Amino acid sequence: MKGLLHLACIALVCLLPSAPMAAQPATATASLDRRIAITFDDLPWASLDPNTPLPAQGTVPPRIAAESARLVQAIEAAGTPAIGFVNSARLLVGGQPQPDRTAMLDAWLDAGLELGNQTATHADLHAVGVQAYEDDILACDRVLRPLLAKRGHEPQWFRHPYLRTGRTLEDKAAMDVFLAAHGYRIAPVTVTDSDWIWAAAYVKALDSGDAATQAKLRAQYVPYLLRRVNYFEHRSIKLLGYALPQVMLLHANALNADTYPDFVAGLRARGYRFVGIDEAMRDPAYRRADEFTSALGTSWIHRWAIAAGRSWKFYGGEPTSPKWVVDLAGVPAGSE
């Protein structure tokens, strides 16, 4: 099946209950070269958005400042490379940049972590069109480039919000030309997840002071992430014949700040090495053409599988969030 039917199949399997991955014989997995690059979207912090009622006016709320510091400290202590993708509008209040918000990005750079461009306002290319989208990228670039220049660096990586990369092949080609002209490479995602749903539930538990629910979320979240990595590892083997160096998408939020050490430990126990995005992207699979034009924010592994004409069976068994987490988060059913 091809085209719209393939996309409908992906959307369908995303709603199906999780199925356990079949274990491979030890001899089949012992020699796998497991590598993963960790990326974080929505910097400096997912809820510091001037277009929503979430942030306090003016200074960064103390709890968010502490959570951001914990996330950076956790990444640094784990010794894992990571890149954070910036929405520069999150640095503003009333249209003016806030030094304490910019300081949150400086903390990433002080820890030896990378920063990339994710547009100023987390724009949706499919909704605003190419010209407005390019303008939003440049707005972020005008903030990000001087910040990096102070340390002798230039921005190199761009992440599409919502993983929407163009409604037509013509739009995609135009974006490729524009990004290359401004020194950017697209940062794909091969391991997708719904950490934003878990994070929304976690914020509610934090707000209510419900320590038991906070602990339950942390305890179940890390195994969920590990199942997502395992799923896409097996899909890459099925499609490519080897374990692809993965690129994983997380968000800058409290739940990741409080679980990152356990997540890293879980991946290392499975034999994963943490690498920078540039190393992961040296794999030849990332040179495959991306002709995906759907609004579905799916993994590049699924995009390549669609291009290869894989049947709907390829996409089955994708792990999903438990109903109680989705209900607590307050998001509509089928949001994953």
Side-chain angles (χ1 to χ4, degrees):
M1 295 182 292
K2 295 184 178 180
L4 294 175
L5 185 54
H6 266 300
L7 302 180
C9 289
I10 293 178
L12 175 62
V13 299
C14 287
L15 301 178
L16 293 177
S18 300
M21 295 297 299
Q24 286 190 323
T27 54
T29 61
S31 61
L32 291 180
D33 179 15
R34 292 187 172 100
R35 289 174 286 164
I36 192 165
I38 303 296
T39 71
F40 291 87
D41 280 10
D42 298 358
L43 264 66
W45 204 246
S47 61
L48 285 175
D49 184 345
N51 298 316
T52 75
L54 290 174
Q57 293 301 307
T59 59
V60 174
R63 191 177 88 186
I64 289 179
E67 291 163 351
S68 177
R70 286 204 305 276
L71 177 59
V72 172
Q73 290 164 4
I75 299 169
E76 188 175 19
T80 59
I83 181 170
F85 288 93
V86 175
N87 302 134
S88 60
R90 298 182 195 273
L91 303 171
L92 310 178
V93 172
Q96 298 300 313
Q98 302 297 303
D100 54 349
R101 298 182 182 215
T102 303
M104 294 167 74
L105 299 183
D106 281 321
W108 278 72
L109 297 173
D110 289 342
L113 306 174
E114 293 184 78
L115 294 177
N117 187 325
Q118 200 193 7
T119 76
T121 66
H122 205 274
D124 179 353
L125 171 57
H126 290 209
V128 303
V130 169
Q131 185 58 61
Y133 195 70
E134 291 177 352
D135 291 344
D136 214 43
I137 293 170
L138 292 178
C140 185
D141 187 77
R142 286 191 292 270
V143 173
L144 185 60
R145 195 168 292 274
L147 187 68
L148 294 179
K150 290 188 297 185
R151 300 167 186 265
H153 302 303
E154 293 183 344
Q156 301 181 56
W157 295 100
F158 174 75
R159 167 66 51 74
H160 283 285
Y162 311 104
L163 303 185
R164 292 173 184 160
T165 55
R167 293 170 296 181
T168 66
L169 294 180
E170 291 75 18
D171 284 357
K172 293 172 75 73
M175 289 309 309
D176 288 343
V177 171
F178 172 85
L179 290 169
H182 291 86
Y184 284 106
R185 298 174 62 191
I186 293 172
V189 176
T190 59
V191 180
T192 59
D193 56 79
S194 294
D195 74 326
W196 62 277
I197 293 178
W198 292 76
Y202 194 60
V203 166
K204 288 189 175 181
L206 290 171
D207 289 344
S208 66
D210 186 344
T213 299
Q214 295 167 30
K216 183 178 179 182
L217 284 162
R218 291 193 299 268
Q220 294 191 23
Y221 175 62
V222 170
Y224 161 79
L225 289 184
L226 295 175
R227 288 194 296 272
R228 298 289 299 187
V229 174
N230 186 58
Y231 171 83
F232 284 109
E233 175 190 303
H234 282 262
R235 286 301 173 271
S236 73
I237 294 170
K238 190 172 182 179
L239 180 67
L240 305 172
Y242 63 94
L244 177 74
Q246 305 283 359
V247 179
M248 185 169 191
L249 168 60
L250 297 171
H251 290 84
N253 58 47
L255 183 57
N256 286 323
D258 292 342
T259 57
Y260 193 73
D262 291 338
F263 174 55
V264 168
L267 282 180
R268 284 182 169 147
R270 277 190 49 80
Y272 269 90
R273 292 187 294 116
F274 292 82
V275 299
I277 190 171
D278 53 345
E279 178 177 331
M281 290 286 291
R282 292 185 198 125
D283 190 274
Y286 290 104
R287 295 196 289 272
R288 289 182 170 220
D290 175 20
E291 298 183 348
F292 188 77
T293 55
S294 169
L296 185 67
T298 193
S299 164
W300 262 246
I301 293 173
H302 283 170
R303 296 171 188 230
W304 298 331
I306 291 168
R310 290 300 183 109
S311 80
W312 64 270
K313 294 180 181 179
F314 180 87
Y315 310 100
E318 188 168 344
T320 56
S321 304
K323 183 178 183 299
W324 76 269
V325 175
V326 176
D327 290 344
L328 178 58
V331 301
S335 294
E336 290 191 276

